[in-house]
Amino acid sequence: ELVHNAIEHSGRDIVLSLSCGPAPREKAEHLCRFANLWRTTGDFWDDWNDLYQAFEICHQWEGVGGPGHWPDADMLPFGHLALRSTERGWGDRWTHFTQDEQIALMTLWCLFRSPLMVGAELNDNDEFTLNLLTNDEVLALLSESRNARQVYREERYNYAGEVIVWQAENEQGETYCAVFNCGPKARKLRPDNATRARSPRHRPWLVSPATAA
């Protein structure tokens, strides 16, 4: 509150980003009032367990974000990472995420409308990473989608949340739907009328809104 009040009296446009994560969900109203963005998690790295947990964290925070106040799912660990870091003992490396996992991550972050920040050496981007970060259709989710939410989570074979479905709409009445296969194997999915999509972990990236029935 002190920092917020100082910014209000500074006469400047300053974004207040809180990186003390994970922020407590029960403080959402307070955070919306006094901060522009805040971390919903601890440090997020290129580890499948981190990404898998992010689905539930985003679900807990859904409906909170809005103009001027956004839950922050943390930076995108794509490309060349940790040039001077040894966190988790990994050090200088190319992202551990597979290409399918990166597509799933980018899709979730954009649907959830998390602030997008890249924690990598951009000069070393390869073609895949650059295309991932500049896909206009997917970035449109960030600016145009509304009411993003988890609409389905399957528990199968004692692996909680093997299939997770998120949905959002835009101002034109179109619906976006993302189906994530979080299980250990590729699966054939037969979507119903509410989930006309396949898992972005196991197919080329294609995003286009379907007019809501």
Side-chain angles (χ1 to χ4, degrees):
E1 291 181 31
L2 289 173
V3 177
H4 169 83
N5 292 335
I7 292 172
E8 288 292 296
H9 289 87
S10 71
R12 296 183 178 184
D13 293 327
I14 299 175
V15 173
L16 177 55
S17 173
L18 304 182
S19 187
C20 55
R25 176 61 178 82
E26 63 271 17
K27 297 294 185 180
E29 184 176 349
H30 183 86
L31 290 164
C32 287
R33 181 179 177 186
F34 292 106
N36 300 116
L37 53 149
W38 56 90
R39 284 268 297 277
T40 60
T41 180
D43 288 345
F44 180 89
W45 281 108
D46 47 327
D47 183 297
W48 168 247
N49 290 324
D50 284 11
L51 178 52
Y52 182 71
Q53 293 169 12
F55 283 95
E56 178 58 27
I57 294 171
C58 290
H59 177 44
Q60 293 172 4
W61 283 94
E62 64 187 35
V64 174
H69 53 271
W70 302 102
D72 176 9
D74 204 7
M75 292 191 293
L76 303 169
F78 297 158
H80 187 185
L81 305 175
L83 277 69
R84 291 175 295 277
S85 170
T86 58
E87 189 166 351
R88 301 195 185 183
W90 292 339
D92 191 340
R93 66 190 181 282
W94 198 259
T95 182
H96 290 151
F97 280 136
T98 66
Q99 290 188 357
D100 290 332
E101 289 169 346
Q102 293 176 70
I103 290 170
L105 193 165
M106 190 71 173
T107 303
L108 178 63
W109 262 230
C110 287
L111 269 175
F112 180 63
R113 303 186 75 187
S114 171
L116 297 186
M117 291 173 279
V118 184
E121 174 50 73
L122 298 180
N123 290 315
D124 294 340
N125 279 350
D126 60 2
E127 183 178 4
F128 173 83
T129 305
L130 183 60
N131 289 337
L132 185 71
L133 296 171
T134 58
N135 185 305
D136 289 338
E137 284 196 325
V138 178
L139 291 174
L141 297 175
L142 191 70
S143 59
E144 298 176 7
S145 66
R146 303 289 185 273
N147 194 31
R149 63 215 179 269
Q150 177 183 293
V151 295
Y152 178 75
R153 183 161 187 158
E154 175 195 56
E155 296 187 9
R156 184 181 175 92
Y157 305 135
N158 297 319
Y159 192 93
E162 187 172 79
V163 172
I164 301 173
V165 182
W166 275 68
Q167 183 173 309
E169 294 79 40
N170 64 19
E171 293 182 350
Q172 288 71 46
E174 297 170 320
T175 297
Y176 296 97
C177 183
V179 181
F180 302 90
N181 175 15
C182 296
K185 297 180 181 179
R187 291 181 57 187
K188 292 183 178 180
L189 302 175
R190 182 177 297 175
D192 58 22
N193 289 334
T195 58
R196 294 186 181 276
R198 290 184 180 179
S199 166
R201 288 194 73 202
H202 296 291
R203 70 168 181 127
W205 200 0
L206 176 63
V207 173
S208 58
T211 301

